[in-house]
Amino acid sequence: MRNLMYHCIYHQNKPSKPALAPPARGRARACAQPRPAAAAAAGPPSALAAEEEEPGGGGRARGGLCLLCGLPAAGKSTLGRALRRRLPRRPGWACALLSYDELIPPEAFGPSEPGAGPAGPPPLLPRWKRSRRELLQCLERFLQALVTGEPLSVPPAAGQPGWERFLACCRGQGLLAPQERHGGPETPAATAGPLYLILDDNFYYQSMRYEVYQLARKYSLSFCQLFLDCPLECCLQRNRLRSHPLPDQTICLMARKIEMPDLKKNAWEQNSLILKSSDCTLEDDEQIISLLATALENPVKQNEENLEQKEADRAICAASTVHQADQVCRRVISQAMKDAKDKNILPSEMRSLAEELNKLKAEFLEDLRQGNNLKSQTCSVTSSFQDEATNVVNKYIFK
């Protein structure tokens, strides 16, 4: 396997003393000024989140969530495996790697279920998006058990494949204690030091990463991000060498949509490193370990602001925007189907066109629900959808 080296965009002066740095082969410099070690809000006593009390009321999180983000083939999995090997040796943290590629089945990215016609109800959410939601629910069940020391709660649909895959991944990495009896409830295994869960995925929208941040805040865990900013052409070349490469157009589309951490706008993204593939020195792991240590010293505080009210207001705004956009999209699809019929497109192709347009609409509306493009005017956003719909129709007309 190719060795990948990492280098981070330099946005601040190097810390005067590296924290807990293991032997390294790469170079990474912090792109965000680490937050000052502030007193963390004391949470309820529990198996994981019990804090080390210090004079002045400061506290240290006993676990954290670290996101590996970036395009496919940017080097996330290689970095994740390296961290999983190194963190338990020095500085002595427990570590587990949760790879979305392994936890979300390949069939989730296959063709969508058939949707309704242009005038009918919108099609179901794409399977890959449902799988992501289910995985987030599995992660929350594990975190809840980790923090409280209680057995893992079984999901309503017991035996669902996503939950079983998640449990198998946890067992394989020693995250679950041995069962006293077969079929009994499982509990998280005890760890001697802090436990870092490293989540390996593209996380190309900020909203995807914010969902994980909300879990860290809910359970008073640390949160940080390692964003691998690899040139598109490099990702495409690496991807083509894989045994099961993704289509080039999939990576190119993601490159157009990807949202890097915005340190000035989003306070919740302050604990972030932006890494580049480059020639390296011994400073790579020093800066990564320093970021992880800083995050542990500054766990996310519950209800730091009135975020619940802000989220409720955003949801109301989003619902209104999505409703308006849905009405416009329906009219666009109806007109597009009429235009296609006037061009004497075959009935079988008309069905395929309707399905493709409805799938496009479902993904477009889901992006709005996730908070993307909400700041834009509805007319501007829907005109973008109309352009994409026109391109789809032209593809059928000019076959």
XYZ file of all heavy atoms in Angstrom, residues 6-105:
725
model
N 1.363 13.673 4.992
C 0.376 14.729 5.185
C 1.026 16.040 5.606
O 1.982 16.051 6.374
C -0.640 14.314 6.258
C -1.307 13.043 5.910
C -0.905 11.847 6.485
C -2.310 13.022 4.940
C -1.499 10.674 6.129
C -2.900 11.850 4.592
C -2.500 10.674 5.182
O -3.093 9.501 4.835
N 0.463 17.124 5.084
C 0.942 18.458 5.411
C -0.266 19.381 5.578
O -1.186 19.309 4.801
C 1.821 18.985 4.276
C 2.160 20.440 4.419
N 3.002 20.910 5.393
C 1.776 21.523 3.711
C 3.114 22.218 5.261
N 2.370 22.618 4.260
N -0.266 20.179 6.598
C -1.436 21.031 6.853
C -1.166 22.477 6.479
O -0.075 22.977 6.663
C -1.813 20.966 8.329
S -3.284 21.888 8.703
N -2.195 23.134 5.910
C -2.088 24.555 5.594
C -1.748 25.323 6.871
O -2.364 25.125 7.903
C -3.423 25.070 5.025
C -3.760 24.283 3.764
C -3.357 26.555 4.735
C -5.115 24.624 3.225
N -0.788 26.205 6.773
C -0.270 26.877 7.963
C -1.047 28.158 8.210
O -0.872 29.140 7.523
C 1.208 27.179 7.736
C 1.976 27.535 8.994
C 1.434 27.317 10.254
C 3.252 28.075 8.896
C 2.154 27.624 11.381
C 3.979 28.392 10.027
C 3.423 28.167 11.263
O 4.136 28.478 12.379
N -1.936 28.141 9.216
C -2.745 29.321 9.532
C -2.351 29.960 10.856
O -3.009 30.881 11.289
C -4.227 28.942 9.597
C -4.839 28.750 8.248
N -5.429 29.764 7.540
C -4.932 27.652 7.481
C -5.887 29.302 6.402
N -5.599 28.026 6.346
N -1.356 29.406 11.549
C -0.994 29.977 12.835
C 0.447 29.617 13.134
O 1.052 28.806 12.448
C -1.894 29.426 13.951
C -1.613 27.943 14.220
C -2.259 27.500 15.516
O -3.433 27.650 15.660
N -1.484 26.987 16.419
N 1.034 30.258 14.156
C 2.390 29.913 14.570
C 2.411 28.542 15.196
O 1.489 28.132 15.884
C 2.912 30.941 15.579
C 3.059 32.313 14.943
O 3.342 32.406 13.757
N 2.827 33.362 15.726
N 3.482 27.836 14.996
C 3.621 26.492 15.574
C 3.649 26.587 17.085
O 4.284 27.467 17.653
C 4.920 25.857 15.068
C 5.098 24.434 15.529
C 6.405 23.850 15.023
C 7.565 24.489 15.753
N 8.857 23.900 15.403
N 2.946 25.683 17.805
C 3.007 25.696 19.266
C 4.446 25.543 19.738
O 5.244 24.838 19.132
C 2.143 24.484 19.677
C 1.260 24.247 18.506
C 2.053 24.661 17.304
N 4.751 26.195 20.855
C 6.121 26.179 21.340
C 6.548 24.804 21.808
O 7.721 24.473 21.790
C 6.271 27.190 22.487
O 5.371 26.854 23.529
N 5.578 23.964 22.244
C 5.937 22.647 22.729
C 4.945 21.634 22.205
O 3.774 21.688 22.545
C 5.947 22.631 24.258
C 6.372 21.289 24.831
C 6.540 21.345 26.324
C 5.250 21.550 27.047
N 5.361 21.495 28.499
N 5.350 20.672 21.380
C 4.405 19.682 20.868
C 3.876 18.826 21.998
O 4.588 18.524 22.950
C 5.239 18.860 19.868
C 6.660 19.079 20.275
C 6.721 20.445 20.873
N 2.605 18.423 21.859
C 1.958 17.652 22.922
C 1.882 16.185 22.550
O 1.298 15.824 21.556
C 0.555 18.181 23.182
N 2.500 15.336 23.417
C 2.335 13.893 23.295
C 2.650 13.394 21.889
O 1.902 12.620 21.315
C 0.894 13.514 23.673
C 0.456 13.954 25.067
C -1.016 13.687 25.255
C 1.254 13.267 26.152
N 3.756 13.812 21.317
C 4.050 13.482 19.920
C 4.715 12.131 19.801
O 5.752 11.881 20.400
C 4.972 14.544 19.332
N 4.136 11.205 19.026
C 4.767 9.922 18.783
C 5.765 10.041 17.656
O 5.818 11.053 16.963
C 3.586 9.049 18.361
C 2.700 10.005 17.660
C 2.852 11.324 18.380
N 6.586 9.010 17.417
C 7.447 9.034 16.250
C 6.599 9.202 15.006
O 5.520 8.622 14.896
C 8.119 7.653 16.278
C 7.995 7.206 17.690
C 6.735 7.801 18.209
N 7.036 10.012 14.040
C 6.194 10.330 12.887
C 7.003 10.367 11.618
O 8.210 10.505 11.637
C 5.519 11.684 13.108
N 6.272 10.269 10.491
C 6.901 10.388 9.197
C 6.348 11.568 8.418
O 6.779 11.844 7.313
C 6.671 9.113 8.378
C 7.361 7.913 8.957
C 7.254 6.753 8.015
N 5.864 6.394 7.789
C 5.486 5.470 6.909
N 6.383 4.849 6.187
N 4.213 5.177 6.749
N 5.338 12.251 8.947
C 4.685 13.299 8.169
C 4.811 14.650 8.815
O 5.417 14.817 9.846
N 4.193 15.604 8.184
C 4.211 16.973 8.680
C 2.819 17.555 8.653
O 2.139 17.485 7.655
C 5.130 17.828 7.802
C 5.259 19.261 8.308
C 6.122 20.050 7.346
N 6.401 21.367 7.873
C 6.996 22.319 7.171
N 7.362 22.096 5.940
N 7.212 23.493 7.709
N 2.376 18.111 9.764
C 1.059 18.755 9.806
C 1.132 19.938 10.726
O 1.624 19.831 11.832
C -0.011 17.779 10.284
N 0.640 21.063 10.291
C 0.609 22.249 11.135
C -0.829 22.672 11.344
O -1.653 22.541 10.470
C 1.417 23.387 10.497
C 2.912 23.081 10.496
C 3.706 24.212 9.891
N 5.121 23.897 9.926
C 6.042 24.656 9.343
N 5.687 25.720 8.664
N 7.314 24.319 9.418
N -1.097 23.208 12.539
C -2.482 23.532 12.883
C -2.978 24.678 12.032
O -2.321 25.691 11.891
C -2.572 23.912 14.367
N -4.178 24.489 11.480
C -4.771 25.573 10.708
C -5.767 26.334 11.538
O -6.367 27.282 11.089
C -5.461 25.020 9.460
S -6.790 23.918 9.862
N -6.006 25.895 12.750
C -6.918 26.614 13.640
C -6.237 26.831 14.967
O -5.609 25.932 15.492
C -8.204 25.812 13.860
N -6.367 28.024 15.516
C -5.821 28.294 16.827
C -6.573 27.454 17.839
O -7.781 27.567 17.984
C -6.006 29.773 17.168
C -5.479 30.175 18.538
C -3.966 30.207 18.572
O -3.346 30.539 17.582
N -3.396 29.854 19.696
N -5.909 26.524 18.580
C -6.642 25.706 19.550
C -7.325 26.585 20.576
O -6.781 27.603 21.003
C -5.536 24.854 20.195
C -4.434 24.831 19.179
C -4.494 26.165 18.506
N -8.512 26.184 20.957
C -9.241 26.971 21.946
C -8.497 26.941 23.274
O -7.931 25.915 23.658
C -10.644 26.398 22.139
C -11.561 26.659 20.983
C -12.938 26.119 21.266
N -12.923 24.672 21.325
C -13.931 23.939 21.742
N -15.023 24.514 22.152
N -13.863 22.634 21.756
N -8.510 28.031 24.044
C -7.860 28.027 25.346
C -8.489 26.976 26.237
O -9.675 26.668 26.136
C -8.144 29.445 25.885
C -8.499 30.261 24.688
C -9.125 29.315 23.720
N -7.655 26.414 27.104
C -8.169 25.393 28.010
C -9.112 26.060 28.993
O -8.704 26.673 29.970
C -7.027 24.715 28.754
N -10.410 25.958 28.717
C -11.412 26.617 29.553
C -12.083 25.588 30.430
O -12.046 24.394 30.178
C -12.453 27.317 28.681
N -12.736 26.052 31.474
C -13.442 25.141 32.359
C -14.619 24.545 31.638
O -15.447 25.248 31.104
C -13.921 25.906 33.603
N -14.698 23.217 31.616
C -15.803 22.542 30.934
C -16.957 22.380 31.891
O -16.780 22.175 33.080
C -15.349 21.178 30.423
N -18.171 22.428 31.335
C -19.350 22.247 32.176
C -19.377 20.829 32.706
O -19.273 19.879 31.965
C -20.610 22.524 31.361
N -19.497 20.703 34.022
C -19.481 19.375 34.617
C -20.750 18.639 34.266
O -21.844 19.131 34.432
C -19.363 19.500 36.136
N -20.598 17.438 33.749
C -21.743 16.625 33.381
C -22.048 15.627 34.479
O -21.352 15.538 35.485
N -23.076 14.818 34.306
C -23.425 13.823 35.307
C -22.364 12.740 35.358
O -21.726 12.421 34.359
C -24.758 13.263 34.778
C -24.715 13.536 33.312
C -23.956 14.787 33.150
N -22.112 12.151 36.550
C -21.131 11.071 36.642
C -21.564 9.900 35.781
O -22.727 9.552 35.718
C -21.144 10.713 38.135
C -22.442 11.241 38.658
C -22.766 12.429 37.830
N -20.612 9.268 35.101
C -20.944 8.172 34.200
C -19.703 7.360 33.919
O -18.610 7.690 34.365
C -21.520 8.721 32.894
O -20.565 9.535 32.271
N -19.871 6.277 33.146
C -18.770 5.375 32.865
C -17.673 6.041 32.063
O -16.493 5.796 32.274
C -19.293 4.145 32.108
N -18.040 6.888 31.117
C -17.039 7.490 30.233
C -16.798 8.954 30.531
O -15.669 9.405 30.569
C -17.489 7.357 28.774
C -16.582 8.067 27.769
C -15.283 7.303 27.616
C -17.269 8.199 26.432
N -17.873 9.711 30.754
C -17.740 11.162 30.804
C -17.373 11.693 32.174
O -17.420 12.883 32.401
C -19.048 11.820 30.348
N -17.005 10.818 33.124
C -16.530 11.302 34.403
C -15.265 12.109 34.165
O -14.327 11.635 33.553
C -16.241 10.121 35.333
N -15.231 13.325 34.635
C -14.132 14.225 34.338
C -13.126 14.232 35.476
O -13.458 14.004 36.639
C -14.662 15.639 34.097
C -15.582 15.723 32.897
C -16.232 17.078 32.798
O -16.214 17.787 33.814
O -16.766 17.407 31.744
N -11.857 14.525 35.124
C -10.807 14.655 36.119
C -10.894 16.053 36.703
O -10.595 17.030 36.025
C -9.452 14.428 35.456
C -9.303 13.024 34.897
C -8.029 12.876 34.102
O -7.311 13.892 33.966
O -7.748 11.772 33.638
N -11.299 16.137 37.949
C -11.473 17.450 38.557
C -10.116 18.087 38.814
O -9.180 17.460 39.286
C -12.248 17.321 39.885
C -13.690 16.860 39.693
C -14.496 17.846 38.875
O -14.176 19.056 38.923
O -15.427 17.423 38.186
N -10.013 19.361 38.498
C -8.797 20.115 38.700
C -9.144 21.383 39.464
O -10.290 21.828 39.464
C -8.176 20.481 37.343
C -7.804 19.265 36.522
C -7.322 19.668 35.145
O -7.378 20.881 34.843
O -6.891 18.784 34.398
N -8.153 22.003 40.122
C -8.428 23.281 40.792
C -9.011 24.270 39.798
O -8.537 24.404 38.687
C -7.029 23.721 41.268
C -6.253 22.443 41.407
C -6.765 21.547 40.322
N -10.041 24.943 40.227
C -10.682 25.907 39.339
C -11.830 25.313 38.568
O -12.476 25.989 37.796
N -12.122 24.009 38.726
C -13.300 23.423 38.114
C -13.108 22.945 36.701
O -14.066 22.614 36.032
N -11.870 22.902 36.177
C -11.664 22.449 34.807
C -11.926 20.967 34.686
O -11.851 20.213 35.644
N -12.199 20.502 33.495
C -12.454 19.088 33.293
C -11.897 18.609 31.979
O -11.660 19.401 31.070
N -11.694 17.293 31.898
C -11.148 16.703 30.681
C -12.095 15.618 30.208
O -12.519 14.770 30.991
C -9.774 16.110 30.976
C -9.085 15.550 29.739
C -7.836 14.809 30.142
N -7.020 14.464 28.990
C -6.134 13.486 28.983
N -5.965 12.757 30.056
N -5.417 13.249 27.914
N -12.437 15.645 28.932
C -13.329 14.624 28.383
C -12.647 13.269 28.417
O -11.434 13.160 28.240
C -13.717 14.976 26.953
N -13.422 12.234 28.658
C -12.883 10.880 28.681
C -13.064 10.191 27.341
O -12.803 8.995 27.212
C -13.564 10.066 29.792
C -13.375 10.637 31.170
C -11.921 10.720 31.561
N -11.297 9.401 31.609
C -9.991 9.190 31.650
N -9.171 10.221 31.600
N -9.512 7.978 31.707
N -13.508 10.897 26.347
C -13.658 10.313 25.018
C -13.937 11.396 24.006
O -14.239 12.547 24.361
N -13.811 11.042 22.738
C -14.031 12.047 21.713
C -14.348 11.449 20.365
O -14.174 10.247 20.132
N -14.818 12.303 19.471
C -15.138 11.940 18.097
C -14.230 12.738 17.172
O -14.178 13.970 17.266
C -16.607 12.253 17.792
C -17.650 11.568 18.679
C -19.048 12.103 18.377
C -17.606 10.058 18.497
N -13.532 12.044 16.304
C -12.639 12.678 15.348
C -13.091 12.304 13.942
O -13.171 11.113 13.615
C -11.191 12.238 15.581
S -10.025 12.900 14.366
N -13.391 13.304 13.117
C -13.870 13.056 11.760
C -12.715 13.138 10.768
O -11.922 14.085 10.800
C -14.930 14.088 11.365
C -16.148 14.234 12.277
C -17.197 15.114 11.603
C -16.729 12.890 12.640
N -12.626 12.150 9.877
C -11.724 12.208 8.731
C -12.568 12.554 7.516
O -13.477 11.800 7.154
C -11.028 10.859 8.519
C -10.178 10.332 9.685
C -9.516 9.025 9.291
C -9.131 11.356 10.100
N -12.281 13.691 6.892
C -13.128 14.209 5.822
C -12.307 14.428 4.561
O -11.102 14.654 4.621
C -13.761 15.542 6.225
S -14.144 15.721 7.972
N -12.983 14.396 3.414
C -12.318 14.692 2.158
C -12.839 13.830 1.031
O -13.682 12.949 1.226
N -12.341 14.079 -0.169
C -12.778 13.345 -1.353
C -12.392 11.872 -1.270
O -11.462 11.511 -0.543
C -12.157 13.962 -2.606
C -12.615 15.361 -3.008
C -11.806 15.838 -4.206
C -14.098 15.373 -3.325
N -13.066 11.005 -2.018
C -12.631 9.621 -2.118
C -11.185 9.553 -2.617
O -10.786 10.329 -3.486
C -13.604 9.019 -3.142
C -14.823 9.873 -3.063
C -14.327 11.254 -2.768
N -10.403 8.653 -2.046
C -9.007 8.437 -2.423
C -8.096 9.587 -1.999
O -6.976 9.703 -2.500
C -8.863 8.172 -3.924
N -8.542 10.428 -1.061
C -7.684 11.506 -0.561
C -6.667 10.996 0.456
O -5.715 11.698 0.784
C -8.534 12.614 0.064
N -6.863 9.787 0.979
C -5.938 9.224 1.960
C -6.506 9.104 3.356
O -5.779 8.870 4.317
N -7.829 9.227 3.498
C -8.459 9.194 4.825
C -8.274 7.847 5.513
O -7.920 7.789 6.688
C -9.960 9.513 4.692
C -10.259 10.849 4.043
C -11.747 11.122 3.953
C -12.485 10.091 3.107
N -12.053 10.114 1.697
N -8.530 6.763 4.799
C -8.466 5.438 5.420
C -7.042 5.094 5.841
O -6.821 4.475 6.892
C -8.997 4.371 4.456
O -10.362 4.617 4.150
N -6.055 5.490 5.034
C -4.664 5.244 5.389
C -4.303 5.985 6.670
O -3.667 5.430 7.576
C -3.730 5.685 4.240
O -4.057 4.939 3.072
C -2.278 5.456 4.597
N -4.723 7.240 6.772
C -4.471 8.010 7.985
C -5.221 7.407 9.170
O -4.677 7.320 10.281
C -4.894 9.462 7.773
C -4.761 10.396 8.988
C -3.334 10.439 9.488
C -5.243 11.804 8.648
N -6.471 6.993 8.957
C -7.254 6.399 10.040
C -6.603 5.143 10.597
O -6.525 4.952 11.816
N -6.112 4.268 9.712
C -5.443 3.042 10.179
C -4.159 3.367 10.928
O -3.832 2.721 11.925
C -5.168 2.123 8.994
C -6.427 1.477 8.413
C -6.074 0.391 7.414
N -5.452 0.940 6.219
C -6.105 1.293 5.123
N -7.428 1.183 5.084
N -5.473 1.768 4.065
N -3.440 4.395 10.461
C -2.212 4.792 11.152
C -2.516 5.311 12.555
O -1.822 4.963 13.524
C -1.485 5.857 10.336
N -3.559 6.116 12.687
C -3.934 6.625 14.008
C -4.373 5.497 14.928
O -4.054 5.493 16.125
C -5.057 7.660 13.872
C -4.661 9.005 13.245
C -5.898 9.871 13.029
C -3.659 9.732 14.125
N -5.103 4.538 14.373
C -5.560 3.426 15.210
C -4.374 2.619 15.754
O -4.419 2.093 16.869
C -6.484 2.516 14.399
C -7.166 1.474 15.270
C -7.962 0.484 14.461
N -8.421 -0.606 15.310
C -8.693 -1.823 14.887
N -8.527 -2.119 13.615
N -9.101 -2.751 15.715
N -3.297 2.523 14.974
C -2.105 1.799 15.447
C -1.331 2.623 16.468
O -0.832 2.081 17.466
C -1.182 1.477 14.271
C -1.687 0.415 13.331
C -0.576 -0.048 12.390
N -0.001 1.073 11.642
C -0.423 1.469 10.447
N -1.460 0.840 9.881
N 0.155 2.471 9.812
N -1.232 3.928 16.246
C -0.309 4.738 17.039
C -0.891 5.255 18.352
O -0.182 5.343 19.359
C 0.169 5.934 16.202
C 0.990 5.513 15.000
C 1.231 6.684 14.067
N 1.823 6.252 12.799
C 1.965 7.026 11.745
N 1.560 8.266 11.797
N 2.514 6.567 10.635
N -2.158 5.631 18.345
C -2.728 6.252 19.543
C -2.675 5.351 20.774
O -2.384 5.843 21.876
C -4.163 6.716 19.273
C -4.321 7.861 18.256
C -5.774 8.303 18.189
C -3.427 9.039 18.585
N -2.967 4.040 20.665
C -2.878 3.210 21.873
C -1.452 3.100 22.423
O -1.262 2.899 23.627
C -3.387 1.843 21.393
C -4.251 2.154 20.214
C -3.559 3.301 19.537
N -0.425 3.219 21.553
C 0.958 3.108 22.024
C 1.413 4.386 22.715
O 2.076 4.353 23.742
C 1.889 2.793 20.842
C 1.624 1.427 20.207
C 2.826 0.970 19.399
N 3.208 1.911 18.346
C 2.824 1.795 17.080
N 2.037 0.792 16.722
N 3.220 2.677 16.185
N 1.071 5.489 22.132
C 1.479 6.773 22.673
C 0.630 7.850 22.027
O 0.611 7.939 20.808
C 2.953 7.012 22.347
C 3.538 8.269 22.996
C 5.002 8.397 22.602
N 5.553 9.642 23.108
C 6.736 10.143 22.759
N 7.467 9.480 21.884
N 7.164 11.266 23.265
N -0.137 8.590 22.772
C -0.104 8.844 24.214
C -0.914 7.891 25.089
O -1.214 8.225 26.227
C -0.677 10.253 24.296
C -1.644 10.328 23.157
C -1.041 9.510 22.058
N -1.304 6.737 24.614
C -2.000 5.775 25.463
C -3.501 5.895 25.453
O -4.167 5.517 26.425
N -4.062 6.411 24.367
C -5.513 6.507 24.257
C -6.057 5.261 23.576
O -5.441 4.704 22.665
C -5.915 7.722 23.426
C -5.466 9.029 23.988
C -5.272 9.334 25.303
C -5.138 10.209 23.249
N -4.852 10.638 25.433
C -4.759 11.200 24.192
C -5.129 10.531 21.904
C -4.379 12.487 23.828
C -4.759 11.822 21.524
C -4.394 12.778 22.479
N -7.240 4.836 24.009
C -7.942 3.789 23.264
C -8.472 4.413 21.972
O -8.792 5.603 21.921
C -9.090 3.234 24.105
N -8.538 3.594 20.907
C -8.903 4.153 19.612
C -9.624 3.101 18.788
O -9.253 1.924 18.792
C -7.649 4.628 18.876
S -7.958 5.312 17.239
N -10.675 3.514 18.084
C -11.398 2.626 17.166
C -11.703 3.392 15.893
O -11.948 4.604 15.932
C -12.682 2.103 17.804
N -11.681 2.686 14.777
C -11.910 3.285 13.468
C -13.249 2.795 12.927
O -13.447 1.596 12.731
C -10.773 2.912 12.513
C -10.878 3.423 11.070
C -10.874 4.943 11.036
C -9.731 2.866 10.230
N -14.167 3.718 12.687
C -15.471 3.393 12.130
C -15.517 3.899 10.694
O -15.626 5.105 10.447
C -16.595 4.039 12.952
C -16.625 3.685 14.443
C -17.795 4.388 15.141
C -16.712 2.181 14.654
N -15.374 2.968 9.746
C -15.336 3.327 8.333
C -16.728 3.223 7.732
O -17.348 2.162 7.750
C -14.373 2.402 7.587
O -14.476 2.595 6.191
N -17.215 4.334 7.183
C -18.534 4.325 6.568
C -18.575 3.387 5.363
O -19.619 2.824 5.041
C -18.936 5.742 6.152
C -19.505 6.590 7.270
C -18.887 6.631 8.520
C -20.650 7.350 7.094
C -19.407 7.408 9.543
C -21.183 8.134 8.114
C -20.553 8.151 9.336
O -21.079 8.907 10.354
N -17.446 3.221 4.676
C -17.411 2.313 3.525
C -17.738 0.887 3.941
O -18.304 0.111 3.169
C -16.032 2.345 2.860
C -15.827 3.607 2.030
O -16.828 4.309 1.769
O -14.682 3.879 1.640
N -17.361 0.529 5.169
C -17.616 -0.823 5.661
C -18.973 -0.936 6.342
O -19.566 -2.015 6.365
C -16.506 -1.231 6.638
C -15.127 -1.300 5.997
C -14.033 -1.607 7.007
O -14.378 -1.849 8.183
O -12.847 -1.608 6.624
N -19.455 0.156 6.909
C -20.702 0.110 7.677
C -21.938 0.385 6.829
O -23.046 0.069 7.238
C -20.631 1.117 8.829
C -19.590 0.779 9.910
C -19.435 1.930 10.886
C -19.985 -0.496 10.646
N -21.750 0.999 5.664
C -22.869 1.220 4.745
C -22.714 0.244 3.587
O -21.685 0.243 2.911
C -22.890 2.666 4.217
C -23.131 3.638 5.387
C -23.979 2.839 3.161
C -23.170 5.097 4.986
N -23.702 -0.626 3.335
C -23.551 -1.675 2.327
C -23.472 -1.093 0.917
O -24.064 -0.044 0.630
C -24.816 -2.522 2.494
C -25.817 -1.567 3.066
C -25.040 -0.640 3.961
